[in-house]
């Protein structure tokens, strides 16, 4: 068994050498300077349009525009958390706090810890927080043990998935503030101050420009669209792929590749998903700059085929379909009961 594991483990080492020799782990400062500039312009421009439009129901399209801006800023925070932008952890942490906590109200420290655990054990029932059965269930095994909200929602969760995503933006904010109570969260005071500053600035700007009724509708539209955007960005990557348990003993390469799915598409899909359409390459090399993932794909895909490892790839709508079918199948035991 030890010899077999060593042989499997060496698969990733050989692939990693090929990727490094191609220079695909090198930083891309020019790319990120341009991307940060464009996203900043979108974010600031969205708020400028909001201020210019004023007290009118035409603010609802502006809410959608700002939802896109918030999502793109969140994707930048994701890249910072993985060290894709800067080699300095201190620089990444400071930038992450400004981009995550202050700009969009997302606790950078909490999310980074959660996302790191996801990367270590993707789609693992016991270790991946992204498949924790708090509201949705991801396997028939979880369905059998489901209680409370998960047991109620799980019956028809495939039909409720997109409606539930409208609450994801609010859920991230609530989880961020709840994380401030954890002693393990580093820089709790700083995180709390920045989150508080975001809420005051965000709500203050909206209620300063709009009367209470329109302001509440604006907030609902903005947060709903923000949640759906993020959900549609992250859901295609792993949902519907194999869910692992303690019985599954896989080496690093197979654990990452077999639980991930790539999404086909051109530059528009890559821009919209922040490069996460190359999910397999991202999970194998989390610190690889987004701009290099496209070049890494043929190397990784050909290598996986050469060693007999399945490499999943499909279109965006097909990926959502697979995710929804998986959710419906996972909830079947609850519908029977």
């Amino acid at each position: 068994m030890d010899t077999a594991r060593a042989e499997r483990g060496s698969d990733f080492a050989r692939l990693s050498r090929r990727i490094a020799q191609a220079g695909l782990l090198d930083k891309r400062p020019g790319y990120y300077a341009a991307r940060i500039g464009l996203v900043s312009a979108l974010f600031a421009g969205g708020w400028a349009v909001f201020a210019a439009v004023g007290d009118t129901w035409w603010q609802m399209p502006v809410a959608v525009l700002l939802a896109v801006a918030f999502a793109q800023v969140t994707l930048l925070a994701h890249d910072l958390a993985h060290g894709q932008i800067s080699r300095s952890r201190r620089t990444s942490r400071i930038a992450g706090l400004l981009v995550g906590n202050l700009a969009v109200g997302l606790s950078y420290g909490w999310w980074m810890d959660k996302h790191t655990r996801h990367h270590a054990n993707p789609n693992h029932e016991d270790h991946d927080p992204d498949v924790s059965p708090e509201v949705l269930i991801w396997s028939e095994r979880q369905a059998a043990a489901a209680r409370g909200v998960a047991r109620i929602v799980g019956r028809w969760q495939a039909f409720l998935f997109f409606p539930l995503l409208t609450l994801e933006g609010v859920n991230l904010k609530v989880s961020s503030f709840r994380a401030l109570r954890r002693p393990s969260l580093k820089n709790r005071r700083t995180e709390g101050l920045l989150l508080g500053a975001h809420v005051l600035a965000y709500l203050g700007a909206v209620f300063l420009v709009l009367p209470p009724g329109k302001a509440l509708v604006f907030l609902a539209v903005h947060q709903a669209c923000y949640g759906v955007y993020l959900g549609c960005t992250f859901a295609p990557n792993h949902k519907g792929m194999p869910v692992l348990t303690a019985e599954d003993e896989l080496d690093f390469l197979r654990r990452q590749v077999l639980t991930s799915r790539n999404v086909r598409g051109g530059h528009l899909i890559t821009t919209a998903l922040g490069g996460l359409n190359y999910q397999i390459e991202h999970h194998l090399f989390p610190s690889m700059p987004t701009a290099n993932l496209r070049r890494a794909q043929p190397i990784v895909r050909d290598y996986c085929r050469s060693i007999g490892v399945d490499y999943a790839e499909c279109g965006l709508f097909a990926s959502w379909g697979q995710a929804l079918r998986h959710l419906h199948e996972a909830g079947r035991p609850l519908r029977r009961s």
Side-chain angles (χ1 to χ4, degrees), residues 37-72:
L38 290 172
V39 171
S40 299
L42 176 65
F43 187 81
W47 283 115
V49 172
F50 172 79
V53 171
D55 180 5
T56 170
W57 287 107
W58 285 107
Q59 289 285 15
M60 299 312 120
V62 180
V64 178
L65 173 65
L66 278 170
V68 174
F70 269 50
Q72 286 294 322

Side-chain angles (χ1 to χ4, degrees), residues 43-113:
F43 187 81
W47 283 115
V49 172
F50 172 79
V53 171
D55 180 5
T56 170
W57 287 107
W58 285 107
Q59 289 285 15
M60 299 312 120
V62 180
V64 178
L65 173 65
L66 278 170
V68 174
F70 269 50
Q72 286 294 322
V73 171
T74 304
L75 290 170
L76 275 179
H78 167 272
D79 289 9
L80 282 164
H82 282 298
Q84 296 179 19
I85 300 176
S86 173
R87 296 186 186 278
S88 169
R89 291 186 179 181
R90 184 172 183 273
T91 299
S92 296
R93 184 175 66 254
I94 293 173
L97 289 171
L98 294 175
V99 169
N101 293 58
L102 185 59
V104 298
L106 173 67
S107 169
Y108 179 75
W110 163 75
W111 187 86
M112 183 176 180
D113 172 71

Side-chain angles (χ1 to χ4, degrees), residues 239-241 261 314 317-327:
K239 310 314 179 191
M241 299 302 292
R261 178 197 299 113
C314 66
F317 294 108
S319 70
W320 291 344
Q322 290 179 29
L324 293 175
R325 284 192 293 272
H326 174 82
L327 284 170

Side-chain angles (χ1 to χ4, degrees), residues 19 23-26 28 31-32 35 78-79 82 84 119 262 270 273-301 311 313:
I19 293 294
L24 298 178
L25 298 178
D26 297 342
R28 296 287 299 273
Y31 162 79
Y32 275 110
R35 180 175 166 189
H78 167 272
D79 289 9
H82 282 298
Q84 296 179 19
H119 264 263
N262 276 15
T270 300
L273 302 186
L276 295 182
N277 47 317
Y278 299 108
Q279 189 67 191
I280 295 174
E281 289 72 28
H282 170 60
H283 259 258
L284 288 171
F285 305 98
S287 64
M288 180 183 292
T290 295
N292 290 344
L293 294 172
R294 179 180 61 84
R295 294 169 54 200
Q297 184 192 28
I299 299 175
V300 173
R301 182 175 53 201
Y311 183 100
E313 187 178 18

Side-chain angles (χ1 to χ4, degrees), residues 195-266:
L195 285 174
H198 165 80
V199 171
L200 289 175
Y202 176 57
L203 296 180
V206 174
F207 281 94
L208 179 65
V209 173
L210 299 175
K214 288 178 184 174
L216 291 174
V217 175
F218 178 92
L219 293 172
V221 172
H222 178 238
Q223 290 299 319
C225 291
Y226 175 50
V228 171
Y229 191 136
L230 289 182
C232 290
T233 298
F234 288 94
N237 305 332
H238 301 283
K239 310 314 179 191
M241 299 302 292
V243 177
L244 306 181
T245 66
E247 289 74 32
D248 297 300
E249 297 185 9
L250 300 175
D251 67 292
F252 177 79
L253 183 143
R254 287 163 178 80
R255 188 165 68 247
Q256 303 299 333
V257 175
L258 296 178
T259 60
S260 302
R261 178 197 299 113
N262 276 15
V263 177
R264 296 192 188 98

